[in-house]
Every structure is written in structure tokens, then in C-alpha cells.
Amino acid sequence: MTPHVEKQQLRLKLRQRRKSLSRDSRQAATKRVNRLLYRYIRRQKRIGVYWAMGSELSLLSWIVTAQQRGATVYLPYIEAHSRQLWFTPCPRLVGQRVTKRDLRLQNLYGRQGRIPQFKGDKIRVHRLNTLLMPLLGIDSQGHRLGQGGGYYDATLGKHHQLKPRLIGVGFSCQQVEHIATEQHDITIPVFVSEQGYQYFQSS
């Protein structure tokens, strides 16, 4: 079995595992992870985050707190016909009830038109100080399994000498012992879940 096929099978398994979390477990884990991530908030620093889709762990309350503490929060922007992500400032969020007006939604990207893209001056990843990354899975060596689009791998691969501090974020059920790797795959140094911080040796 090739690494590509093995990863596809693992994605199916991990998506189901994440979706199977009970509502109470999900809410408790989300609250704890958002609090654990407070340590990465720095005033006047540029911090990249993701906008949770589907069963991904939400960072909404963390974004609100980071903005209140003076950090500038950025969200990924997908340019047509390119895998190199840009990042645009997240609109100021007053609370956790978010409307289209709050977000100043520019357009929607993706097969199902669900990924929000935001207006604002675009910057490349190397201008971020910290990047909180979504993932489907992570193994005992810090190898990250994403959705399969390859955007983060392509973006961070190009700027490998200038990349920000990388932090993987997710639920503990997304941890596995081993993920098959390919040349373009990236490794992240720390994973934050409801079980705490897990650090990996740099490869």
C-alpha cells in the first residue's frame, strides 16, 4: 500500500472518530484547548489561526480573547489556482455570536462553498509570528495529517526557513501511533489537545 492510499484510509477513520465525539465531550474539550492556547497570545504579534469547519475544534473563543489582549489574528486566504496560502486579518469579534456582517464575508471557497474568505491586506506565512494549524491526525513523531488539499504543506514548504512557530490543534482522539509520510509532508513541534501539550523532537 502506498503512503497516499494509506493516508486516505486513515483520513476516513479519523473523520469518523472526530464526528463520533459526544456533544458534552466536544464542548468540554473545546473549552479546555482554547484555554490551554492562551499561553501563545502575545500583544502586537501576528497569529495565524483556522476557521473551524465541520467537526474541527473551534477556536472562536480563543480568537475573541486574543483580540482583546492585543494580538492581531489572521485567517487563511485561498487564492484561485494556487496552493500558496495568504493570510488576512480576522474581523474584530465582539463575542461568540458571529454574523455575516460581523465577518464582512468576501466570498466562499470550496466544493461546498463553506470556507469563509476575508477582506483585508494579505500577508504570506513568513510574516506570522505563530500559526495554529488544524489537522485530522498527528502521530508520535509530530507528523501531521491534513484534509488532503496540501495547502499547508505547500505554503510552509516554500517558506521552510522563514516559517512561524507551528502549533497543531485538535482533539486527543486524533492522535495515532504512525502516519505514512511523503516528501512534501511537514512535521510540527507541538500538539495541543484537551489532554495538554505534547512536544515532538525536530526532524
Side-chain angles (χ1 to χ4, degrees):
M1 185 183 302
T2 66
H4 177 74
V5 173
E6 187 174 339
K7 287 195 291 187
Q8 287 294 87
Q9 293 182 356
L10 184 57
R11 284 189 179 98
L12 293 174
K13 177 181 178 179
L14 290 175
R15 284 192 184 103
Q16 185 58 46
R17 185 184 293 181
R18 193 170 64 184
K19 289 178 181 178
S20 297
L21 286 170
S22 69
R23 180 178 179 180
D24 289 345
S25 295
R26 175 178 295 277
Q27 290 180 343
T30 298
K31 183 177 181 179
R32 175 159 170 76
V33 172
N34 275 263
R35 289 186 177 275
L36 288 172
L37 290 171
Y38 285 172
R39 68 159 59 179
Y40 299 111
I41 298 174
R42 295 290 184 273
R43 182 176 296 276
Q44 297 183 339
K45 296 297 185 180
R46 295 181 294 273
I47 306 175
V49 302
Y50 62 90
W51 193 261
M53 305 303 297
S55 61
E56 289 180 334
L57 189 146
S58 173
L59 294 180
L60 185 55
S61 67
W62 185 91
I63 292 172
V64 173
T65 301
Q67 290 178 332
Q68 291 173 342
R69 294 186 182 183
T72 302
V73 179
Y74 285 80
L75 291 157
Y77 184 97
I78 302 174
E79 194 172 52
H81 312 300
S82 174
R83 291 187 183 276
Q84 298 295 322
L85 292 173
W86 290 93
F87 291 84
T88 55
C90 178
R92 185 80 178 182
L93 305 182
V94 177
Q96 295 186 40
R97 292 186 62 186
V98 184
T99 66
K100 285 187 176 182
R101 182 178 179 181
D102 294 327
L103 300 177
R104 299 196 296 276
L105 195 61
Q106 178 174 329
N107 58 62
L108 295 173
Y109 181 90
R111 295 177 183 173
Q112 299 177 342
R114 297 179 305 158
I115 303 176
Q117 305 280 264
F118 302 89
K119 296 180 178 179
D121 294 333
K122 299 190 289 289
I123 64 173
R124 287 297 193 186
V125 70
H126 64 277
R127 294 190 57 197
L128 297 174
N129 301 108
T130 303
L131 178 58
L132 307 185
M133 301 177 63
L135 49 79
L136 260 178
I138 187 166
D139 71 9
S140 58
Q141 301 299 311
H143 297 126
R144 171 186 177 271
L145 181 69
Q147 295 285 356
Y151 292 101
Y152 282 97
D153 290 326
T155 300
L156 294 166
K158 182 176 181 180
H159 300 284
H160 62 91
Q161 294 180 331
L162 299 171
K163 63 188 177 186
R165 182 179 192 179
L166 304 179
I167 300 159
V169 180
F171 300 102
S172 61
C173 67
Q174 296 172 248
Q175 295 179 272
V176 296
E177 182 61 30
H178 173 73
I179 293 174
T181 59
E182 299 174 86
Q183 187 174 4
H184 59 268
D185 291 330
I186 60 173
T187 301
I188 57 178
V190 58
F191 173 60
V192 181
S193 74
E194 73 275 18
Q195 292 187 355
Y197 311 96
Q198 184 171 356
Y199 299 93
F200 309 99
Q201 293 183 351
S202 299
S203 59

